[in-house]
Amino acid sequence: MQIPLSKPWITEEDVQAVEGVLITPYLSLGPKLEEFEEKIKEISKTKFAVAVNSGTSALHLIVRSLGIKDGDEVITTPFSFIASSNCILFERAKPVFVDITKATYNVDPDLIERKITEKTKAILGVDVFGQPADWDEILEIANKYNLVVVEDSCEAIGSEYKGKPTGSFGVAGAFAFYPNKQITTGEGGVIVTNDENIYKLSESMRNQGRGEDETWLYHTRLGYNYRISDINCALGISQLNRLNKIIEMRDAVAKMYSQKLSEVEEVITPYISPEVTRMSWFVYVIKLTEDFDRNKRDMVIEELEKRGIQTQNYFKAIHLQPFYVEQFGFEEGDFPVTEFVSERTIALPFFTIMTEKEIDYVVSNLKEVIYEVKKL
Ligand SMILES: Cc1ncc(COP(=O)(O)O)c(C=O)c1O
């Protein structure tokens, strides 16, 4: 059996939706863009949505719309996909990392205040693996120090924290739609916000800095080509039509994994905080117990690969990525919890249409491999 790490769920309806656009003249900036944005707004319960060509572009436009610039500091997590920190570098501001909690892998709110300086402008929180961050605590600190809050919810569309949807906690949020995500547009992302200024600036900057009423070759500000095509949006609309079902199916896969792994003492299954009232699973990440170091974890990954099971070491800590080490001088030991977790985590194969047979295959092989590696 060959089991991929992730796999998009594309139905006949999705195919028809895409084909439907191809026979119209509106392949970009057409009606599907607006329709997609309308649907997104219903999910995030925000006033505005601006769809773009990736989650990274969405984060960049948020940071830029906020006027974050050279010399500013932005507090964020080192345990994330690299784009959540790179978007700060794009504007030559400095990411200031705060370590995570061992339970949720989200930023530890108790450690934020000591990192705030006169240069701090924002807190960029991430809903890691689909689990919302501790938003009440983060917002309380932000209010106290007059900081803006940005939500990187690229991994968490449809999740809820205390009954409120992700994407809506900060002044703006971002979702992403690469094929490994809960729903996909092929490539794509979106900015959600209640702030009219961020909305207008993002809309202009995704389209080469054109102004609202101006013509094609008139550019009000520096912009980018971050447009998403109507072809992508049509796929997104069709996928969003079954978002609730997708979230339920992924939850069922996650529950099955947790139940089947509950007796494997070397495996710590994901912990979801009771404050998360709805979990939209992006990936299913287990943690090996303390006696497994990075080498042993990597051996488990390699051996599973040989058996046709694709896994991933989500996440390698951002501060230890080569160019962060070079630019900022970070070292091992700087963020101990992040490092401890990132040396022991393994994302197992996880996708909406995963069958119990596939889950059983992963679990039985994982058990065997763990016992073998443990003996070494
Ligand atoms: C936390 C996080 N932020 C940002 C991104 C960037 O999204 P994209 O790959 O669409 O640029 C991702 C996607 O992988 C992500 O997981």
Side-chain angles (χ1 to χ4, degrees):
M1 221 191 262
Q2 292 288 323
I3 308 188
L5 179 63
S6 73
K7 171 161 83 173
W9 180 27
I10 305 293
T11 63
E12 190 48 41
E13 269 173 23
D14 294 340
V15 173
Q16 279 171 13
V18 169
E19 282 176 1
V21 176
L22 291 174
I23 53 171
T24 74
Y26 306 111
L27 299 190
S28 189
L29 297 176
K32 292 294 169 193
L33 172 63
E34 224 169 282
E35 195 183 328
F36 183 53
E37 291 172 338
E38 286 302 316
K39 281 207 166 291
I40 290 288
K41 286 194 292 191
E42 285 168 22
I43 292 156
S44 55
K45 299 202 169 73
T46 54
K47 271 197 214 153
F48 308 107
V50 180
V52 290
N53 58 359
S54 73
T56 308
S57 303
L59 289 168
H60 181 205
L61 292 187
I62 294 170
V63 169
R64 200 166 161 83
S65 298
L66 290 170
I68 290 169
K69 57 180 190 316
D70 204 351
D72 292 341
E73 293 180 357
V74 178
I75 289 180
T76 191
T77 171
F79 191 71
S80 175
F81 183 66
I82 195 147
S84 63
S85 175
N86 283 354
C87 66
I88 301 163
L89 297 185
F90 295 161
E91 292 304 313
R92 299 187 182 279
K94 186 178 169 199
V96 173
F97 295 122
V98 169
D99 214 346
I100 58 169
T101 75
K102 238 181 193 168
T104 65
Y105 312 151
N106 275 321
V107 79
D108 186 344
D110 291 342
L111 305 177
I112 292 178
E113 272 188 273
R114 66 189 74 163
K115 291 291 184 86
I116 294 173
T117 71
E118 282 181 355
K119 295 179 182 168
T120 312
K121 287 283 159 9
I123 302 174
L124 191 155
V126 182
D127 301 319
V128 170
F129 302 151
Q131 167 144 234
D134 293 305
W135 288 111
D136 276 358
E137 289 83 350
I138 292 171
L139 288 165
E140 196 182 319
I141 297 165
N143 287 341
K144 184 168 160 194
Y145 292 91
N146 203 18
L147 305 173
V148 287
V149 171
V150 175
E151 182 177 2
D152 178 346
S153 201
C154 285
E155 300 184 354
I157 189 166
S159 284
E160 287 178 10
Y161 168 86
K162 298 186 181 175
K164 201 169 175 261
T166 51
S168 66
F169 290 98
V171 67
F175 297 131
F177 309 118
Y178 186 71
N180 64 354
K181 296 294 188 303
Q182 292 89 327
I183 70 134
T184 187
T185 56
E187 291 282 0
V190 66
I191 296 149
V192 290
T193 183
N194 288 316
D195 182 308
E196 194 165 3
N197 193 43
I198 294 178
Y199 161 63
K200 287 194 167 154
L201 286 173
S202 299
E203 202 175 43
S204 166
M205 287 192 289
R206 85 168 158 195
N207 189 16
Q208 302 287 12
R210 296 182 171 100
E212 267 174 277
D213 312 318
E214 290 141 6
T215 55
W216 193 248
L217 293 178
Y218 192 90
H219 306 275
T220 313
R221 57 183 62 81
L222 176 65
Y224 309 87
N225 180 358
Y226 285 171
R227 294 185 303 262
I228 180 170
S229 83
D230 275 44
I231 306 165
N232 300 90
C233 290
L235 177 57
I237 293 162
S238 182
Q239 295 247 315
L240 280 181
N241 284 340
R242 50 180 203 281
L243 178 65
N244 288 337
K245 191 171 175 196
I246 288 172
I247 291 174
E248 277 168 26
M249 287 165 76
R250 293 174 85 87
D251 193 49
V253 172
K255 288 205 169 106
M256 240 187 274
Y257 259 135
S258 290
Q259 190 260 322
K260 289 174 193 287
L261 288 168
S262 62
E263 267 142 43
V264 186
E265 62 181 38
E266 295 80 3
V267 168
I268 299 161
T269 55
Y271 166 79
I272 305 302
S273 155
E275 291 175 343
V276 176
T277 43
R278 192 187 197 205
M279 178 68 187
S280 171
W281 293 85
F282 163 48
V283 279
Y284 185 87
V285 178
I286 56 159
K287 187 168 64 188
L288 300 177
T289 42
E290 210 155 319
D291 43 326
F292 282 78
D293 58 11
R294 182 170 42 200
N295 284 341
K296 283 192 168 173
R297 188 275 313 267
D298 291 347
M299 280 181 196
V300 172
I301 289 178
E302 266 172 47
E303 187 52 39
L304 288 171
E305 185 82 48
K306 284 187 200 148
R307 295 167 182 231
I309 298 169
Q310 198 186 18
T311 60
Q312 186 60 270
N313 60 341
Y314 272 95
F315 281 116
K316 181 171 164 57
I318 297 178
H319 67 283
L320 297 178
Q321 297 286 352
F323 74 103
Y324 277 79
V325 171
E326 205 176 293
Q327 189 170 338
F328 298 104
F330 289 121
E331 294 174 352
E332 283 197 18
D334 283 346
F335 301 98
V337 182
T338 294
E339 290 166 34
F340 179 88
V341 170
S342 87
E343 285 171 6
R344 288 171 180 78
T345 37
I346 305 177
L348 298 181
F350 184 73
F351 39 93
T352 310
I353 45 174
M354 198 166 179
T355 61
E356 185 161 8
K357 203 170 152 207
E358 289 170 318
I359 296 169
D360 284 338
Y361 184 74
V362 175
V363 169
S364 64
N365 278 283
L366 179 67
K367 280 187 198 165
E368 278 175 29
V369 171
I370 282 176
Y371 296 139
E372 276 169 27
V373 170
K374 199 178 178 180
K375 279 190 269 161
L376 299 173

